[in-house]
Amino acid sequence: MLEPFRSFSMDIKLAQNEYGESRVRLFRVTHRGGLHEVKDLTVAARFEGSFGAAYMAGDNRAILPPDTIKNTVYVLARQYPAEAIEDFAFHIVDHFLTYNPQVSRLNLDVTERPWSRIPIGEKAHASAFVGNAGERRAARISATREKITLESGIEDLHLLKTAGASFENFLRDPYTTLESRAQTVFSTGLCAHWSYEFPEPEMPFSTMWHGIRKTLLETFAAHESKSPQHMLYALGHAVLDNFEAIVEIRLSISEGYCVLVDLKPFGMENENEVFAPAAEPRAIVSATLRRNGNLV
Amino acid sequence: MLEPFRSFSMDIKLAQNEYGESRVRLFRVTHRGGLHEVKDLTVAARFEGSFGAAYMAGDNRAILPPDTIKNTVYVLARQYPAEAIEDFAFHIVDHFLTYNPQVSRLNLDVTERPWSRIPIGEKAHASAFVGNAGERRAARISATREKITLESGIEDLHLLKTAGASFENFLRDPYTTLESRAQTVFSTGLCAHWSYEFPEPEMPFSTMWHGIRKTLLETFAAHESKSPQHMLYALGHAVLDNFEAIVEIRLSISEGYCVLVDLKPFGMENENEVFAPAAEPRAIVSATLRRNGNLV
Amino acid sequence: MLEPFRSFSMDIKLAQNEYGESRVRLFRVTHRGGLHEVKDLTVAARFEGSFGAAYMAGDNRAILPPDTIKNTVYVLARQYPAEAIEDFAFHIVDHFLTYNPQVSRLNLDVTERPWSRIPIGEKAHASAFVGNAGERRAARISATREKITLESGIEDLHLLKTAGASFENFLRDPYTTLESRAQTVFSTGLCAHWSYEFPEPEMPFSTMWHGIRKTLLETFAAHESKSPQHMLYALGHAVLDNFEAIVEIRLSISEGYCVLVDLKPFGMENENEVFAPAAEPRAIVSATLRRNGNLV
Amino acid sequence: MLEPFRSFSMDIKLAQNEYGESRVRLFRVTHRGGLHEVKDLTVAARFEGSFGAAYMAGDNRAILPPDTIKNTVYVLARQYPAEAIEDFAFHIVDHFLTYNPQVSRLNLDVTERPWSRIPIGEKAHASAFVGNAGERRAARISATREKITLESGIEDLHLLKTAGASFENFLRDPYTTLESRAQTVFSTGLCAHWSYEFPEPEMPFSTMWHGIRKTLLETFAAHESKSPQHMLYALGHAVLDNFEAIVEIRLSISEGYCVLVDLKPFGMENENEVFAPAAEPRAIVSATLRRNGNLV
């Protein structure tokens, strides 16, 4: 058996460390008389800082327990019923950096699962909701006392188009068997995260989020796409064109193959009608578009 | 080591058997000029019948391969571009029972993942779609040559209400610590499956499905619920009240606890504002409601 | 809008109902001096009984809250540190049926995730464990005050063989394209559940479980399988042959296709060497074998 | 509606891009007479390079289709039946960088799911295997034509200890309610990835992997852990102490809380016997340890 703890050699150093809480689940109801607003959030917070003694000597005096991070998220949710997750994130960052000198950087993720009011005839119900289990709204802050970066995003947006997508004239090598496709089904899960040149509390984050979501959907629908790369660039460009406050956008696509089923063995044509969606493998494409002159 | 194959004793019988294909993924595009309609389906088909020789002697002469089931689903999707999954299910059942005398019963599940057209201003796009990753539409047929039963359903419908839900005056025993709650957050995943007295092809399945979904949502919103049981009964009753063709409805609820966070240790009130959704455990309630006089 | 609660018609009845708790997570440590034994369990308990007033009138006086079920599981785990999950299940059933006259039937599932002691040289550590994240041990009781049925099982046992498996001479129809395979890779997830003629507490459940697992593995390895059906029957028969107390066994297989990759386009042979495991679809086969003369 | 494609402004640039295939599933059988060896792998390969024309103009002439990446993985698996996934990764990198001048960097992940031979008495079966569905072996290469970095790793290693773990004397703030624990159940999923100073094909990767796994397990068992941080450092230090070829190790822990159940309301003690594993939140700790003098 090893005896690894006797002779820790002195030439090993702790090059990086981080700790925190990964899934604080938070559901908040705001009562405006009988009208209720709900927020269904998941928070992850991770600290970087001067924690070497904890790692090397088991000295926990600088370690605020992850359990306290959880409690603090609930307290702050009670104190600051922010509408936009970005504003809630600013409050969390402000709290931890103010009261924890041992923390040099806070990495924070807030993810929102959307709920819609149940429609009753023409009206929306005041306190009953139906879930949209798919896409998520996200905010990520990485903050020191000197500098704060904020990314907002949309995750797992499922999009597909049955016209206006092709893949042709690509590079062929001896192992290429794929045929050119002048018309394909383009089915994808999209993630987009954008950052602001000067992020500040009280910016109209929610208005922008809905505007960017609309821009992504309309651009996806309108674009004559010659490849996933071509599509991704168009999506990013449309967002930067239409939202001046956005300085950079990261996009990634995970494309499940929708294979046209060969029905010739059964004496049938199949003109882009019957497809077999493949679970694996999945093509992935990612890109970052940035406004020039920016040094981020 | 065992030698289990030498002396198979004669007093063991094959009491039940079933085989088939569990996840045939099918994506179908119907072109009406430039207007495209899409169906994103998953099909499972399982055969019961006279397959004893395959099990007992490795004689495969009665076994139609699962791979053929998959091919057949694609061929039938090409031949019968049915709008309602129930109608597509009838075609599949008809095919297999017609051509496979060795099959005595077919159990078939068709599940549909919904896609919505991307809105462009006031209009809906002809060939671009956004996914609703949550709820599913389902149809299940169990058919012999004598009798067919059909169930339609909605699965994973996520609902929550922040008013109009209580849980009080329940049974207490020495291990009961739960407090009465005059007002709770009621958050649930609902599955509902209903069956028809005389299921037939070309019934208005899709119209009914959307009507039942609307009834479930409106009833959930309006009901003053004293327990999940109370809610489930109201949901089932509303469907049977409003849809005469439905003879029975099965409902089940999986309720995640939304625990009110105790902020008193931090000197704060929390009047139904900040909750911690618990990942586990989950309360489950299921019920079947049936019209009287029916012998199903 | 609907007004569904005014006029509940009298011809609708509650045909079936059940409620309970679906995922009580329990981790139990038994200390034998410095030697620790661990049990990592998930318990689901569902009550059937006279609960009509709760459903129809919101009268909760007969409803023991699911939260109490959870507390009770923890109390019983403290009182009865049973080694076999079957014995722990008997204690839970006994408790609820004794103290809850309103309950007519209890359906109980106990699932165990296995942990192995970390080996230190030739020895096993007294209190440190490594997880086996795959297969599960399961017990299911369905009990009334008159009759109890018990099933023990193994779930998600992943098995594969690269020799001794074929699929030939099967039924062909016009949509059959599958080729005969004299040699295939047979890769499967197996679930097996067996029941006892006279289940009683303190039977050697754990010894039998390990014996049956060994029988399943050895039979899988030795059997010259002509189809999944052929394999399933051999597995079930071997268990019934070797374990007299077992009166019935249910088996099901989910077979992911391991497709031989066609390398001919690249001028290469592929003699059962390179395969592409398909994520979907999956063939499924299930069977129940029973000892004759049994009336279960 | 937007018209986003008319006037692409010139001040937007493509700052980063990457594409490839994310889940090529590969199962390979090597026949040594009747003795079969199996490899169950998942490969992801992503290209960086000069692909601007594809993004900006839909010009695909530099795009080798992801489908070709998949084919190539199968061809290389046939040509090079490497035992260690690191060696297989080197072959893939070598191929793509040799034949694709448009690619400047290849990011490659190979993940292996382990299978064990089924034991038959004292012997291991030649061609039948049982799966270990939990932990994974991983290799990651990031390569340009000038420089190659290689990381080997173990993922999702589930470990727990019921003695030798405490958490005391930590930082307390007004929102801290956690009690000191002189004895806790420490239950964790561990990921460890290590890198070599001079990675080269034909290093004894598999021998080292098994040695490092053994070191991690033995260290976890032996360490008197005062915090997850303390444990993580000990694990990393033991690996660097015992394996000279390793220059850096990254570790991360996801710790599910095992909460001691309070049985006092029911008049019972609970001396570290009955725990409720919480699904959420989860504490996370990560650290990188590096040998001094190293410039990686």
Side-chain angles (χ1 to χ4, degrees), chain B residues 266-296:
Chain B
F266 318 122
M268 285 176 202
E269 294 298 308
N270 183 9
E271 296 196 351
N272 281 325
E273 288 185 293
V274 177
F275 297 84
E280 298 169 331
R282 301 183 73 87
I284 44 174
V285 180
S286 66
T288 302
L289 279 73
R290 194 179 295 159
R291 237 179 259 292
N292 259 340
N294 175 55
L295 302 173
V296 171

Side-chain angles (χ1 to χ4, degrees), chain A residues 11-259:
Chain A
D11 66 341
I12 293 171
K13 71 173 182 195
L14 183 65
Q16 178 274 341
N17 71 84
E18 188 185 61
Y19 86 93
E21 191 85 320
S22 67
R23 287 186 60 82
V24 181
R25 292 279 292 113
L26 164 64
F27 184 77
R28 214 192 54 222
V29 184
T30 309
H31 306 90
R32 311 192 185 284
L35 185 71
H36 293 184
E37 278 162 21
V38 299
K39 286 278 166 187
D40 188 347
L41 306 180
T42 303
V43 178
R46 299 172 307 285
F47 293 167
E48 299 178 31
S50 310
F51 302 114
Y55 284 88
M56 284 179 274
D59 176 345
N60 294 325
R61 284 177 297 174
I63 302 288
L64 194 69
D67 185 75
T68 301
I69 297 177
K70 182 191 65 177
N71 288 345
T72 305
V73 167
Y74 292 135
V75 165
L76 295 174
R78 173 69 183 73
Q79 292 179 321
Y80 304 104
E83 191 280 322
I85 54 176
E86 288 86 353
D87 287 323
F88 184 48
F90 276 115
H91 287 299
I92 297 173
V93 166
D94 189 47
H95 174 91
F96 283 121
L97 290 186
T98 300
Y99 295 107
N100 291 278
Q102 81 281 12
V103 174
S104 60
R105 176 181 292 278
L106 176 60
N107 296 306
L108 184 72
D109 286 288
V110 182
T111 309
E112 179 176 8
R113 178 190 176 191
W115 289 88
S116 308
R117 291 179 189 283
I118 290 179
I120 307 291
E122 304 278 290
K123 294 177 57 180
H125 197 277
S127 58
F129 302 84
V130 59
N132 305 332
E135 67 189 75
R136 297 286 185 272
R137 177 172 170 185
R140 166 171 291 193
I141 288 184
S142 182
T144 65
R145 287 180 187 77
E146 288 72 44
K147 183 169 166 52
I148 193 162
T149 64
L150 167 66
E151 257 189 15
S152 299
I154 185 166
E155 299 177 349
D156 291 329
L157 179 62
H158 292 271
L159 300 172
L160 84 80
K161 60 193 303 181
T162 54
S166 62
F167 189 49
E168 300 181 292
N169 303 318
F170 44 76
L171 184 60
R172 310 190 77 91
D173 77 2
Y175 303 144
T176 302
T177 53
L178 190 72
E179 293 175 25
S180 276
R181 295 173 293 179
Q183 187 66 271
T184 77
V185 169
F186 183 39
S187 168
T188 183
L190 174 70
C191 292
H193 297 87
W194 51 89
S195 51
Y196 305 87
E197 189 151 15
F198 306 107
E200 288 189 357
E202 308 299 329
M203 286 175 73
F205 293 112
S206 294
T207 305
M208 291 184 68
W209 190 88
H210 287 285
I212 289 171
R213 185 185 185 278
K214 184 169 181 289
T215 298
L216 291 171
L217 260 64
E218 294 186 350
T219 305
F220 179 83
H223 186 56
E224 286 290 327
S225 171
K226 295 184 174 176
S227 71
Q229 285 87 343
H230 195 212
M231 173 62 87
L232 217 55
Y233 190 78
L235 294 173
H237 213 293
V239 171
L240 291 181
D241 269 353
N242 285 282
F243 297 87
E244 261 188 77
I246 308 301
V247 71
E248 181 178 297
I249 183 165
R250 292 188 297 117
L251 301 122
S252 71
I253 266 180
S254 168
E255 187 196 5
Y257 297 106
C258 227
V259 180

Side-chain angles (χ1 to χ4, degrees), chain C residues 124-149:
Chain C
H125 198 276
S127 59
F129 302 83
V130 58
N132 304 333
E135 66 189 76
R136 297 286 185 273
R137 177 173 170 185
R140 165 171 292 192
I141 287 183
S142 181
T144 64
R145 286 178 188 78
E146 288 72 44
K147 185 170 165 49
I148 193 162
T149 63

